Amino acid sequence: MAALFRGYRNFYKRSNKHVELILVSCRSMASKTPVGFIGLGNMGTPMARNLLKNGYPVIATDAFPESCKELQDSGAQILDSPAEVAEKADRIITMLPSSPNVIEVYTGSNGILRKVKKGTLLIDSSTIDPAVSKEMAVAAEKMGAVFMDAPVSGGVGAASLAKLTFLVGGVEEEYNAAQELLTCMGANVVYCGHVGSGQAAKICNNMLLAIGMLGTAETMNLGIRQLMV
């Protein structure tokens, strides 16, 4: 009887573990709702592809339709405008070339904020003026959405390998939600402070890199001159 009881207890424990694993799996799948991605250039395409690899359905668009084909072939849904993306996704990442592009994509006639849903998380990974990030955050807040800046350090190779570093600025309470997505595309995610702090950190990082490059160039010139004496 004791042996029978022990066998039943072990079976019960194994069954409970199996049920727990199923529940964890279901919760994980439930969290992977569609993610919008706008800007499918040399950096944006591999970043969006890494979201697909991690099981997130991606809804994307780009100003140049031909840029969308590669991601569409990987399984993404392609739409015609940022506003359409905002209608279908409550988490949107943008990766754009410059401040004017960001302003247009967010506030233009077919921009995200024309159709954004309340509670939407907007993450901009472009490298732009911190003042523009703050401006977009204010505009998003008026629509009930949350804007975070998250510029990246690392080039196309790092984007392809999901080894980027993200420098994040925004409301700290939203950081975990942003981190869930950013860790699919990067090896390091650093919270820098309020909106615009990520851009400020990126500017400092770029300045340090430029100083290093200038120092290297001047050192090489000095060495060449000495050899020619």
Side-chain angles (χ1 to χ4, degrees):
M1 180 65 72
L4 181 63
F5 176 76
R6 284 195 299 273
Y8 173 77
R9 184 175 59 188
N10 290 337
F11 173 77
Y12 179 77
K13 286 181 179 178
R14 287 196 300 271
S15 298
N16 273 356
K17 286 181 180 178
H18 182 65
V19 170
E20 286 171 3
L21 286 171
I22 291 173
L23 289 174
V24 168
S25 176
C26 288
R27 284 196 296 270
S28 176
M29 290 301 292
S31 73
K32 293 189 176 180
T33 55
V35 177
F37 204 105
I38 300 169
L40 301 176
N42 292 332
M43 293 291 289
T45 294
M47 289 168 66
R49 194 185 303 115
N50 282 325
L51 288 171
L52 287 167
K53 287 178 181 177
N54 279 273
Y56 290 93
V58 171
I59 301 169
T61 193
D62 190 273
F64 300 98
E66 62 273 16
S67 300
C68 302
K69 188 179 186 309
E70 183 179 342
L71 195 67
Q72 187 174 32
D73 291 343
S74 297
Q77 180 183 357
I78 303 300
L79 299 179
D80 292 331
S81 71
E84 290 184 58
V85 173
E87 280 188 299
K88 293 182 175 293
D90 57 14
R91 294 181 291 180
I92 301 171
I93 298 167
T94 52
M95 187 60 168
L96 303 160
S98 66
S99 293
N101 297 116
V102 170
I103 293 170
E104 177 63 25
V105 162
Y106 279 89
T107 64
S109 58
N110 286 309
I112 292 169
L113 298 183
R114 295 289 178 175
K115 297 287 185 179
V116 72
K117 295 176 284 187
K118 287 186 177 180
T120 296
L121 176 61
L122 306 169
I123 303 171
D124 180 41
S125 289
S126 318
T127 297
I128 60 172
D129 186 335
V132 173
S133 291
K134 293 175 183 178
E135 181 185 335
M136 295 302 101
V138 171
E141 186 177 8
K142 289 178 180 178
M143 303 303 296
V146 177
F147 178 95
M148 304 186 82
D149 59 306
V152 302
S153 177
V156 175
S160 298
L161 297 171
K163 297 293 185 183
L164 293 168
T165 293
F166 289 89
L167 305 168
V168 184
V171 180
E172 190 169 5
E173 289 75 15
E174 298 292 338
Y175 174 63
N176 287 338
Q179 190 177 31
E180 176 193 337
L181 298 178
L182 299 181
T183 51
C184 296
M185 301 177 287
N188 301 291
V189 182
V190 182
Y191 180 68
C192 300
H194 56 76
V195 171
S197 297
Q199 297 294 348
K202 178 62 188 295
I203 290 170
C204 292
N205 181 69
N206 285 359
M207 185 175 181
L208 283 172
L209 289 173
I211 291 169
M213 291 170 66
L214 286 170
T216 300
E218 288 298 326
T219 301
M220 291 180 67
N221 283 333
L222 176 61
I224 290 168
R225 287 197 299 269
Q226 292 302 312
L227 288 172
M228 294 176 67
V229 171

